[in-house]
Amino acid sequence: RGKKAFIAGVADDQGFGWAIAKALAEAGAEISLGVWVPALNIFETSFRRGKFDDSRKLASGGLMDFAHIYPMDAVFDTPDDVPEEVKANKRYAGADGFTISECAAKVARDSGKIDILVHSLANGPEVTKPLLETSRKGYLAAMSASSYSYVSMLQRFGPLMNPGGASVSLTYIASEKVIPGYGGGMSSAKAALESDTRVLAYEAGRKHQIRVNTISAGPLGSRAAKAIGFIDDMIRYSYANAPVQKELAAQEVGNVAAFLCSPLASAVTGVTMYVDNGLNTMGLAG
Ligand code: NAI
C-alpha cells in the first residue's frame, strides 16, 4: 500500500517543504499540500505554468504531482478564530476552510487516513528585531505560527494517522545557542518546538502509535530565510566552519525527513536531528 503524506508549508520549489515532498514522492508516497493562503494563488499559477517543472522531475522520469492542494493558515484552529479583517482581506476572500481543523477535515474526506505529517512552516513578524526589542504581540505571533501550529496540527491530524505513521517538523539551532539576528521570539519558538517534539512524541506515541521528530537544519537560502536578511552570511559561515565543507542542499534535509518518516526509523522518536553538515558540533570557528 502506498503511503499518504500531508505537508504544510510549501509555497515554491526553494524551501525544505518542497524537498521533503520530493523525497517522499521518490519513495512512492502520495503527497497533499497545505499552502499558506496569501501564497496559494501564485503557487498554483506558477505550478500550472510549468515554473516548477524542472524541480518536479523524478528519478523515474515522471513529474512529481500533488493529490490535493489545500489553502491553510496555521495560526487559526477553527473558523471562530478568524478575525473579520482577515475574512475581508482580499488575499483570503476567495479561500474557505483554511483553518487547521477544516483542513484536517478535508484531508479526512479526500484521503481517509494518512501516514506522514510534515510541518515545514514558521513565521515571526518581528524576526529582524532583537529579542530585547520584541513586542508581546510579535513574540506571541512567532510562537503561534511556528510552535503552537504544530501542536494544533497533531491534535487534528493525529486521529487521521495510521498506527506506525510519523511526523516531522523543522527547527533551527538558534533554540539552544545564540544566533544574533534570529530575533522576534523565533529563537524562543524553536526552543518550544523542540521541547514539544519530546512531549508530543510521548503523548501521540501512546495515543496514536505515531512517531514525532524534528530536524535541526543548517542554513538554506529559502524565501523565509531571505526575509530574515543574514542568510548569505550564515551560509558562508557554515561553509567555512562546519566539519563537512559544502553548501547544504534542501534535498539533504528532504532525504533525512523521508528516512525519519520511514520504517527504517521505526524506533526513533522525540529526537532533534541535526542536518547541518555538522556545524552544531563546533565550539569554536574551524
Ligand atoms: P519556506 O519559505 O520555503 O517555508 C516556510 C513556509 O511557511 C512558506 O511556504 C510560507 O508560506 C509558510 N507559512 C508562513 N506562515 C504560515 C502560516 N501562518 N500558515 C501556513 N503556512 C505558513 O522556508 P524554509 O526555510 O524552507 O522554512 C521551512 C522550515 O524550515 C521553517 O520551520 C524554518 O524555520 C525551518 N528552517 C529553515 C532554515 C533556513 O535556513 N532556511 C534553517 C533551519 C530551519
Side-chain angles (χ1 to χ4, degrees), residues 10 32 77 81 88 95 121 123 141 147 163 170 187 194 226 250 262 280:
V10 175
S32 294
D77 301 316
D81 297 333
L121 63 97
N123 211 339
S147 315
L170 271 299
S187 56
E194 290 171 26
K226 283 178 181 146
S262 82
N280 73 91

Side-chain angles (χ1 to χ4, degrees), residues 219-221 230-240 247-248:
L220 174 78
F230 64 103
I231 188 67
D232 292 334
D233 294 337
M234 295 308 295
I235 291 171
R236 261 194 303 275
Y237 182 90
S238 178
Y239 192 97
E247 197 167 316
L248 179 75

Side-chain angles (χ1 to χ4, degrees), residues 3 10 12 44 59 64 78 85 105 110-111 127 132 156 164 168 178 180-181 188 196 200 205 222 232 271 278:
K3 297 216 165 147
V10 175
D12 58 33
E44 287 191 313
M64 170 167 71
T78 67
E85 68 263 29
D110 298 338
S111 303
V127 65
L132 194 54
R156 271 93 187 181
V168 71
V178 180
S188 331
D196 294 348
L200 293 169
S222 64
D232 292 334
V271 155

Side-chain angles (χ1 to χ4, degrees), residues 16-174:
F16 290 129
W18 178 278
I20 294 169
K22 197 82 190 291
L24 293 173
E26 290 285 9
E30 176 187 299
I31 320 283
S32 294
L33 300 181
V35 179
W36 195 30
V37 183
L40 180 61
N41 241 328
I42 175 120
F43 177 73
E44 287 191 313
T45 307
S46 306
F47 190 88
R48 261 198 318 274
R49 292 190 181 154
K51 196 175 161 226
F52 305 136
D53 284 1
D54 278 347
S55 330
R56 287 174 63 202
K57 283 202 184 96
L58 297 170
S60 65
L63 291 185
M64 170 167 71
D65 230 324
F66 302 115
H68 306 279
I69 298 178
Y70 304 102
M72 182 171 166
D73 194 321
V75 302
F76 305 123
D77 301 316
T78 67
D80 287 347
D81 297 333
V82 185
E84 285 307 323
E85 68 263 29
V86 170
K87 284 182 198 153
N89 182 311
K90 69 174 190 309
R91 295 199 293 176
Y92 283 77
D96 74 340
F98 52 77
T99 66
I100 294 177
S101 61
E102 292 167 287
C103 196
K106 290 182 194 172
V107 171
R109 177 194 70 198
D110 298 338
S111 303
K113 294 276 179 181
I114 61 170
D115 304 285
I116 295 167
L117 179 69
V118 178
H119 176 285
S120 182
L121 63 97
N123 211 339
E126 297 182 16
V127 65
T128 57
K129 283 191 195 162
L131 184 58
L132 194 54
E133 291 164 25
T134 296
S135 71
R136 182 181 300 268
K137 195 166 169 233
Y139 183 95
L140 293 177
M143 298 291 290
S144 170
S146 314
S147 315
Y148 185 76
S149 57
Y150 191 49
V151 176
S152 177
M153 277 180 64
L154 271 175
Q155 260 173 40
R156 271 93 187 181
F157 286 84
L160 310 182
M161 293 182 71
N162 285 312
S167 174
V168 71
S169 69
L170 271 299
T171 186
Y172 186 48
I173 196 169

